[in-house]
Amino acid sequence: MKSSSPKCIPVVSTFASPFDVTPPSSDSTRKPLSLWPGMYHSPVTIALWEARSKIFESLLDPPKDAPPQSELLTRTPSHSRTTIFYPFSTDYILREQYRDPWNEVRIGILLEDLDALAGTISVKHCSDDDSTTRPLLLVTASVDKIVLKKPISVDTDLKIVASVIWVGRSSIEIQLEVIQSELEDVDASPESVALTANFIFVARDSKTGKAAPINRLSPETELEKLLFEEAEARNNLRKKKRGGERKELEHGEYNKLGGLLAEGRIFSDMPALADRNSILLKDTRLENSLICQPQQRNIHGRIFGGFLMHRAFELAFSTAYTFAGLVPYFLEVDHVDFLRPVDVGDFLRFKSCVLYTQLDKVDCPLINIEVVAHVTSPEIRSSEVSNTFYFKFTVRPEAKARNNGFKLRNVVPATEEEARHILDRMDA
């Protein structure tokens, strides 16, 4: 009996190769491998990096001792303003790539796209279009705020509009608005803005690694001038917070500190008598770990900041879910700090906890989550914080409606260090 050979199912790449020359021509050049990012990312992020790499291609191989940009340019917000359009209503495949279990857009993937778009705009603003000077290295320094104003449906077309709103000596702030409307003419009216975000990037000299000056910004319209002033005020506040030493607690804050610690001490000393509606902060913790893979890199060869935010968001969501016992609903990113770069091959640990709850609004109780990312090096017994993320959630209304007896627990610290940290975040 003749045995049949097993069928072979071929596997092909869904991406074009950086070594392919398309279309073939005598003057075509392949894209340098150093401008080819990892394969993990969303279609929007890939498209944005493609646009960004085109800016870099002419700047990739400047002369060996290429000088930095000698003369700063003055640019307007409109110079780098960019819009990304998501045709969810007609593109079924795109819709499926972004759909979550509640038929809304996956926030984690959207965070990646926001970071990629903000980075592309910062590159546009800071580029001097001169292939004889060395390009700047722009890295995400922090996320000032991301606020979800209304649910984002995955069945309705979406667009993100973003531009530079402020420039300092070596830092730049990008504001992004996610806009969605049932109307065909999707404009930026207050009712159609579903999410707002502010990203801050810093410029580094690609040779020395030191802070580098960037092109100036000249706001034109009254709104652009107002946004510039507001961003300037936020920057001054950040500097003040960074420069200030740990403040002494005032009398009222001592009372708050004592109140936070009182219930925690009962948990430690008399656990059988502790308030059943409270829980220790340490008992809300979750953690996950990963080895950073090449597929998660950006065009600079380091781990994409949007990927880190995506992973932190997923852990924060899980933490809120296990704490509340009902499906959580994302409200905002309070703040994100990018303290050190994360490289391919790094052992990264994410640790989360419910920092505190706000129960004064019965219809919308708030769950404040902290996620801290650590780059861990077992060989040298080292662990450094690379990122801190602060998220705010509530509970999905439909989940709460099905559970009439739902009530969030109060989170209490067990140590003075935890209590002070909670007070600092409340103040922030």
Side-chain angles (χ1 to χ4, degrees):
M1 184 175 176
K2 194 173 182 180
S3 62
S4 58
S5 58
K7 289 184 177 179
C8 180
I9 300 176
V11 177
V12 296
S13 168
T14 57
F15 296 87
S17 166
F19 302 111
D20 287 344
V21 177
T22 309
S25 63
S26 58
D27 59 347
S28 295
T29 56
R30 75 184 188 196
K31 181 189 293 188
L33 187 60
S34 58
L35 291 181
W36 197 254
M39 300 299 180
Y40 162 85
H41 314 289
S42 78
V44 169
T45 295
I46 292 167
L48 287 164
W49 281 351
E50 180 68 23
R52 199 188 308 182
S53 69
K54 286 177 181 176
I55 298 173
F56 275 116
E57 278 180 18
S58 62
L59 310 175
L60 183 69
D61 294 311
K64 186 175 181 180
D65 296 316
Q69 182 177 343
S70 58
E71 185 176 344
L72 297 178
L73 308 174
T74 300
R75 288 185 162 153
T76 63
S78 61
H79 174 268
S80 55
R81 184 172 288 117
T82 304
T83 298
I84 297 293
F85 182 70
Y86 298 72
F88 287 141
S89 64
T90 56
D91 191 331
Y92 176 81
I93 295 175
L94 184 68
R95 193 160 67 236
E96 286 305 304
Q97 287 178 294
Y98 281 82
R99 185 191 300 278
D100 75 3
W102 302 278
N103 210 44
E104 294 171 0
V105 170
R106 289 181 62 186
I107 297 296
I109 297 181
L110 191 59
L111 293 176
E112 292 189 15
D113 293 351
L114 292 170
D115 185 58
L117 177 53
T120 298
I121 289 173
S122 66
V123 168
K124 280 185 181 181
H125 178 87
C126 297
S127 173
D128 66 348
D129 304 319
D130 185 352
S131 60
T132 64
T133 62
R134 60 177 179 261
L136 296 176
L137 177 65
L138 287 140
V139 295
T140 314
S142 65
V143 178
D144 189 63
K145 198 90 165 174
I146 300 177
V147 179
L148 182 68
K149 297 179 178 290
K150 65 176 185 178
I152 305 176
S153 169
V154 79
D155 294 322
T156 306
D157 291 345
L158 184 77
K159 72 175 180 179
I160 307 177
V161 181
S163 63
V164 181
I165 62 167
W166 175 84
V167 166
R169 182 186 176 275
S170 59
S171 54
I172 180 171
E173 183 167 342
I174 315 295
Q175 186 173 82
L176 307 96
E177 289 185 327
V178 177
I179 299 169
Q180 188 172 65
S181 173
E182 296 293 340
L183 303 174
E184 287 188 16
D185 183 19
V186 181
D187 58 18
S189 66
E191 296 77 20
S192 65
V193 176
L195 180 145
T196 60
N198 290 71
F199 282 70
I200 296 147
F201 286 74
V202 292
R204 296 283 181 262
D205 187 294
S206 55
K207 182 178 181 181
T208 66
K210 295 180 179 179
I214 57 179
N215 293 330
R216 298 175 291 266
L217 182 70
S218 176
E220 296 177 302
T221 68
E222 290 304 314
L223 178 58
E224 289 171 353
K225 291 174 183 176
L226 176 62
L227 291 173
F228 186 95
E229 291 171 1
E230 290 175 347
E232 180 78 23
R234 288 194 296 271
N235 181 63
N236 291 335
L237 185 60
R238 282 192 297 269
K239 284 182 179 178
K240 187 177 179 182
K241 285 182 178 179
R242 281 198 301 266
E245 296 180 1
R246 187 173 185 175
K247 67 173 185 176
E248 292 297 321
L249 292 177
E250 297 176 357
H251 181 68
E253 291 172 319
Y254 264 117
N255 291 339
K256 284 183 182 178
L257 187 71
L260 284 172
L261 284 169
E263 189 61 35
R265 290 196 181 100
I266 294 174
F267 269 93
S268 300
D269 300 339
M270 298 173 283
L273 302 179
D275 182 3
R276 295 302 102 186
N277 291 320
S278 297
I279 185 173
L280 287 176
L281 184 152
K282 67 183 181 67
D283 292 330
T284 69
R285 297 188 187 279
L286 288 182
E287 179 179 338
N288 62 28
S289 305
L290 68 143
I291 301 297
C292 297
Q293 303 293 341
Q295 292 78 13
Q296 295 143 5
R297 73 189 185 275
N298 59 22
I299 62 173
H300 300 300
R302 285 183 157 151
I303 299 303
F304 173 39
F307 169 78
L308 300 175
M309 281 198 292
H310 185 171
R311 291 302 297 259
F313 172 82
E314 300 288 353
L315 181 60
F317 185 95
S318 302
T319 305
Y321 200 172
T322 56
F323 171 75
L326 295 176
V327 179
Y329 180 76
F330 168 74
L331 292 176
E332 64 183 59
V333 177
D334 274 343
H335 191 76
V336 178
D337 280 314
F338 291 81
L339 304 173
R340 58 149 289 174
V342 181
D343 293 314
V344 171
D346 278 349
F347 174 30
L348 195 62
R349 302 175 70 186
F350 290 92
K351 300 179 181 181
S352 68
C353 69
V354 180
L355 208 53
Y356 63 97
T357 53
Q358 294 165 273
L359 309 178
D360 48 320
K361 294 181 181 178
V362 179
D363 292 337
C364 187
L366 302 179
I367 308 167
N368 293 271
I369 307 285
E370 177 186 63
V371 180
V372 181
H374 300 255
V375 173
T376 303
S377 303
E379 298 91 343
I380 58 174
R381 297 191 301 168
S382 167
S383 182
E384 292 183 72
V385 174
S386 60
N387 307 82
T388 56
F389 309 84
Y390 296 95
F391 299 92
K392 188 171 291 185
F393 293 85
T394 187
V395 175
R396 293 192 74 88
E398 63 271 24
K400 192 166 59 173
R402 291 194 296 267
N403 190 333
N404 292 329
F406 167 75
K407 186 178 180 182
L408 279 182
R409 299 170 82 178
N410 187 43
V411 177
V412 295
T415 66
E416 183 174 334
E417 182 182 6
E418 289 178 351
R420 283 179 176 269
H421 187 39
I422 291 170
L423 286 180
D424 287 344
R425 284 309 307 166
M426 286 179 171
D427 290 343

